[in-house]
Amino acid sequence: MPRLLGSVPYLNARPLLSGLSPAFEIREAPPAPLADRFRAGEFEAALLPVVDAFRAPDARIVPGCAIGAHGDVLSVRLFLDRPWADVRTIARDPASHTSNALLEILSRLHWKRALPPPPAGTPADGRLVIGDAALRLLGSAREEIDLAGAWTAWTGLPFVFAAWVTTRPGPGLADHLRRAAAEGIARREEIGGAEASALGIDPALARRYLREHIRFSLGPDEIRGAELFWRHAAALDLAPAAGALRLL
C-alpha cells in the first residue's frame, strides 16, 4: 500500500516531488483544503502552509527543505486596480491561510493601515492572488506588491510559505523527503521548462521563478523568519500563542 503524501498543486512544489519513489502517492489540493485533509489524518506528511503547522499542536516540520523566498517570490502578490495610496480594500485568496495571514501582518504592523476585504457585493480595490495564477497575472495590474518582498524589506529575513509537516512519520520519512528534494532542486530549471506549458506559464519565467525566486532551503535564516512570522501571527490572534516552530 503506498504511503500517502499531500501537496499543493503549484509549480513551486514540483522540485520537491519529482524525485519521490513509487512507494509514495501524492494527492494534491489547494493550501487551505490540504490543511483540512491533513488534520483529518489522510496523509503521513503534507507540504503544508506554515501557518497551519503552527495551528496543529502535534505537528512536526521536517527540517532541510521548504518553499520560501528571500525577496520577491512573484507568486504571492497584491494586484491593485488603483494607486497604492488610494487602496482601501483587498480581496483575500480563499485558497491560502498563510498568505492571508501575511497580508494581515504587513498591513497592520508594517504599513499601519487597515486593508479589510470589501463588503459583500462591492468591488475590491485590489486582490491577493497566489500560486501559478499569480504568475500568469504578472504585469497585468495598475500596481503590484509582492508580499514576500515586502516581508524581507521589513524584516531582513526570508519568508517560508510551506514545509513538509507530519504528525506520524513512517520509517525513513525525513530522509526520503530530503533526498527527493535534493534531486528535484538540482533539476529545477528542467522541471520548470517541462511543466510550464501545461500550467499556462511562459517557460522562461517558470525556469527563472524556480531558479531565482523560490528558496527551497530550511536553514537557520528561514527558521528565524518562520518564528518571527509565528510571533506576529500569534500577537494578532492569527495563530495560537503556543504554536512556535517544532522540528521533527
Side-chain angles (χ1 to χ4, degrees), residues 1-200:
M1 183 175 180
R3 300 166 69 174
L4 298 184
L5 301 176
S7 174
V8 290
Y10 304 136
L11 175 62
N12 56 29
R14 296 295 193 268
L16 302 184
L17 306 176
S18 65
L20 286 168
S21 80
F24 293 94
E25 178 183 326
I26 308 296
R27 296 180 178 176
E28 295 185 333
L34 181 71
D36 293 337
R37 292 167 65 178
F38 174 80
R39 285 191 293 270
E42 181 175 342
F43 309 117
E44 181 179 338
L47 197 51
L48 207 66
V50 70
V51 77
D52 291 298
F54 297 145
R55 293 170 177 169
D58 53 349
R60 295 294 181 269
I61 292 175
V62 177
C65 56
I67 296 173
H70 191 273
D72 286 0
V73 71
L74 303 186
S75 56
V76 179
R77 293 172 82 81
L78 301 183
F79 293 85
L80 308 177
D81 297 326
R82 59 183 62 197
W84 173 235
D86 298 332
V87 170
R88 298 292 179 267
T89 61
I90 297 288
R92 272 46 174 181
D93 191 319
S96 177
H97 293 156
T98 293
S99 299
N100 290 334
L102 177 57
L103 174 57
E104 288 296 318
I105 289 166
L106 288 170
S107 61
R108 294 165 65 179
L109 301 182
H110 177 40
W111 295 324
K112 308 293 186 182
R113 57 191 294 190
L115 294 169
T122 304
D125 298 328
R127 60 204 184 281
L128 170 62
V129 183
I130 71 164
D132 301 341
L135 296 178
R136 291 190 288 269
L137 288 173
L138 287 174
S140 66
R142 178 168 183 162
E143 290 188 28
E144 299 178 13
I145 295 176
D146 191 292
L147 293 194
W151 168 268
T152 298
W154 178 39
T155 67
L157 292 168
F159 190 83
V160 178
F161 287 98
W164 283 115
V165 181
T166 184
T167 58
R168 46 185 179 87
L173 175 69
D175 288 338
H176 282 297
L177 296 178
R178 284 194 289 263
R179 190 161 49 245
E183 178 183 322
I185 293 165
R187 298 175 48 247
R188 61 190 181 275
E189 290 191 65
E190 175 190 339
I191 291 168
E195 297 276 355
S197 296
L199 298 172

